[in-house]
Structures are given as structure tokens and as C-alpha cells.
Amino acid sequence: MDHGVSTFLTDYGIDAVTLARGVEERGFGSLFLTEHTHIPVSRESPWPGGAELPRQYSHTFDPYVALGAMAAVTERITLGTGVSLVNQHHPINLAKEVASVDRLANGRFELGVGVGWNVEEMANHGVDPKRRNAAMLERIEACKAIWTQDEAEYHGEFVDFDPIWSWPKPVRVPPILVGGGGPTVLDRVVSHGDGWIPLRIRLSELDAFAERVAELQRKAADAGRGHLPVTIFGAVPKPDALSAYADAGVDRVLFALTDTDVQSRLGEVKATTTTALRAAEADAGASVVTRAVVREFDTKADKAGQLAAESDAAAHDAVVELEQAGDSAKAAAEADPGIGADAREAVLAAHLAICILKTEV
């Protein structure tokens, strides 16, 4: 199962180039960006995540511009949108944006698509929320025509244009990952997608989710299609959760990077190192070396929190030092033949937490 990163790239957070390099250097397989063209001040549509809409929603970079910059400084990772609100783009422009990014990335781009939740945002783009799924599917069809035909044309209810010339063509037709979790989403995945990218599947929902994944693969087989990969956006970054996702048939998880301050994030990392230390010390089979290295990891987490309160530069240096301690703890836990599964997973969870934070500072 591939491990990737997803984020709201904002004008007040980490810059695109630093983030892309950091994600690739840390061994992650993919990096996906969200999209909102704007947020209406009226705020009539309730945010599905709660009462208060986070600041990041109205500060996001254009994902295609940012991904173009990321493509230029990376070689390996998959770059994608998670998800692009395709109804807020004219398909001729969207097809060129996607093709341009894919060419810059040498075929490493994947297009995650969705219709969004903010009705006022849609209205500002002239989108009828009652027909948003149908409009999105036509735009996908139109883009595919432009990518694959020298003289493409499309005539539908929402999209209509006579034959056009449009280059560059993408290196490959970018895989379409269809977002959403509603009752009809699997049909859209099978008819127009190359994969499914649902949002934040909780552990309590995994049994039902596994049934939906199995249903997706049955529908794909019935339609004469092969395996359709599943990517979870906003996965729970814990070893037991990752094992459960894999058992449910998930092919890739995307860990969400937050835009909270480093000191708060270090507090979260400290909680994972403390859990790891307690697990290692309670494990009778863990070696003295493993316990000592994990103890040092936890001590460095304390120190990092103290330094982060001094300055941004001190916080960065502290995170780098903490990451090195985490690497040592991970190596010790993986090499220790006597350590139990629970203690090993706790150490790996703490290591994963600092790896994710490292990409943010």
C-alpha cells in the first residue's frame, strides 16, 4: 500500500517547492493538493467538518500552478489533485492545464475530481448544484477527447464545442480518481474513473467501507474493467489503521498535512513518542538498546517542544534533530527480534508522526 501526502497549500504555509522536495526525500510515494477557487463570504453552505470553516479554505494556491512548480523539482513522486472541482473550470482550459502539468511531470500526474460541497461557490461559477454530477462527467469526457484526439470536439448538455486543436497532449491520459462517498459514486467511478478517492474513512466505518470496496471491484469486473485502485484522502496515521485499510482493499493512503503552528504539532508528536516509550518499557522482550533509543527519541521530543517556543529557526533545527532520533528508534525497533508487535507499531507510529511534521517545516 502506497503512502502519500495531501494538503491545502496556502500563501501563509510551507512553499510548494520545499514541500515537494521534502515529500520525495522522505520516501513518500505521492503528493496531492486540494482546490477551492474562492470561498463566498456569505458562508451559507455548512462546512461538513464542523461549524467554523478553517482559514486554509480561502487561502489555497491554484493547484495546477503549484503542481507545475512541484513537477520541476521532483523525479519520482506522483502528483495529483485531491480533489479538483472540475465544474469550476472550462474543460478546454482544464484539459490544457492538466496536460501541461503531466508533461512537466513526465507522466506522473493523477486527476482527482469532485463536485464540492459549497453551493454558493458553485453558483459563482454558474453551476446548478442539482446537476453538478452530470456536468462533471461531461467535463471529464470533454477533457479526455482533447487529450486523445488531434481534432477534438464535444457536444453535450453542459459542454459544447466544434473541432479544436489543443497541444500539448499529456504523456499518458491521466488517471481519473473520482471523489465522493454517496450512494451512486461507485457507478461514476466505474463509468468515468480509473480509481476512487473517498474522504477520511474512520476506523469505525471500515467494515462497511470494505464492503463498498468489494462492491466497486465487482462492478468493475462486470463492466469488463480491471482492478480500480482506492486512495483514502486524510487517512489515520497509525500502524493499526494502516493494516486495517490494507485489509479493506485500499491501495494508497494520503496523510493530511495541517497548517497549524509547529509548536502544536510537536505536542502531537510528543504524545506519540511517549506512547512508544511506555510500550517499549512495558514489553519484556524489547532489548535494552531499543528501550534506550526510544527513550532518547522521547527526550528529544521534549527538547524540540521547548526550542520551538523560542523561534522558527530553532523549531526547524529541533525537528531535524528529532527526525534523526526517530530514524534511530525505527531502525532499533525493526531490528529487535524480541520486541512485540504492539511496541514496534507504537515506535513506527511515532516515527511516522515526525516524518509527516518534517515535511511542514
Side-chain angles (χ1 to χ4, degrees):
M1 186 170 65
D2 181 75
H3 293 182
V5 168
S6 61
T7 192
F8 284 75
L9 189 72
T10 65
D11 57 350
Y12 58 83
I14 188 172
D15 68 90
V17 168
T18 300
L19 175 61
R21 285 174 171 159
V23 168
E24 186 159 85
E25 289 169 358
R26 300 317 307 155
F28 291 100
S30 52
L31 172 56
F32 280 65
L33 299 184
T34 62
E35 178 179 43
H36 279 278
T37 58
H38 68 289
I39 294 295
V41 174
S42 66
R43 292 290 296 110
E44 294 179 16
S45 291
W47 176 50
E52 189 68 26
L53 184 71
R55 175 189 181 197
Q56 60 195 15
Y57 276 79
S58 55
H59 284 257
T60 54
F61 274 85
D62 179 285
Y64 299 102
V65 173
L67 289 166
M70 291 173 165
V73 298
T74 56
E75 297 179 353
R76 177 185 55 81
I77 56 173
T78 296
L79 300 171
T81 53
V83 294
S84 179
L85 305 178
V86 298
N87 285 337
Q88 299 181 13
H89 297 264
H90 192 286
I92 294 176
N93 297 101
L94 180 61
K96 183 174 285 289
E97 290 169 338
V98 169
S100 298
V101 173
D102 189 67
R103 294 283 291 214
L104 292 170
N106 196 28
R108 291 183 285 125
F109 180 75
E110 296 185 9
L111 179 61
V113 302
V115 294
W117 54 270
N118 193 308
V119 174
E120 296 75 52
E121 183 180 2
M122 298 175 205
N124 287 344
H125 287 280
V127 177
D128 179 357
K130 296 179 181 179
R131 305 297 313 282
R132 52 188 165 183
N133 282 313
M136 179 184 72
L137 297 182
E138 280 201 5
R139 283 171 168 80
I140 292 171
E141 292 172 356
C143 284
K144 287 183 176 180
I146 295 171
W147 295 331
T148 58
Q149 300 172 21
D150 287 347
E151 295 186 354
E153 63 180 299
Y154 190 90
H155 303 285
E157 178 182 356
F158 306 95
V159 180
D160 186 77
F161 55 86
D162 290 327
I164 63 171
W165 292 327
S166 179
W167 277 270
K169 304 297 185 184
V171 174
R172 59 171 183 168
V173 175
I176 305 294
L177 311 182
V178 178
T184 61
V185 66
L186 299 186
D187 293 330
R188 291 191 291 277
V189 176
V190 173
S191 65
H192 287 74
D194 303 289
W196 183 26
I197 182 169
L199 175 66
R200 295 188 184 90
I201 305 301
R202 300 180 179 88
L203 297 184
S204 60
E205 303 168 335
L206 268 177
D207 288 343
F209 178 71
E211 293 178 3
R212 295 206 76 186
V213 173
E215 180 185 1
L216 170 64
Q217 304 306 345
R218 288 195 299 269
K219 286 177 176 287
D222 291 343
R225 308 197 60 188
H227 174 81
L228 293 178
V230 177
T231 297
I232 290 184
F233 180 100
V236 178
K238 295 181 179 179
D240 57 342
L242 301 182
S243 296
Y245 289 143
D247 291 342
V250 174
D251 300 274
R252 173 171 54 198
V253 291
L254 300 177
F255 303 116
L257 296 185
T258 69
D259 61 348
T260 55
D261 62 277
V262 175
Q263 193 169 2
S264 297
R265 294 284 285 115
L266 278 169
E268 298 171 6
V269 172
K270 167 61 180 173
T272 67
T273 64
T274 299
T275 298
L277 178 58
R278 289 173 179 169
E281 291 183 335
D283 190 331
S287 70
V288 174
V289 172
T290 297
R291 294 178 188 177
V293 174
V294 176
R295 188 177 300 112
E296 178 68 10
F297 188 19
D298 186 58
T299 300
K300 290 289 178 63
D302 276 326
K303 180 182 177 182
Q306 295 167 6
L307 290 174
E310 297 177 6
S311 68
D312 289 342
H316 179 273
D317 292 342
V319 169
V320 170
E321 188 175 351
L322 180 57
E323 180 194 27
Q324 294 169 350
D327 289 343
S328 298
K330 177 178 181 287
E334 291 180 331
D336 189 344
I339 193 172
D342 290 345
R344 181 182 290 107
E345 289 183 359
V347 174
L348 296 181
H351 176 262
L352 176 60
I354 184 59
C355 284
I356 294 175
L357 176 58
K358 176 60 169 55
T359 66
E360 301 178 36
V361 299

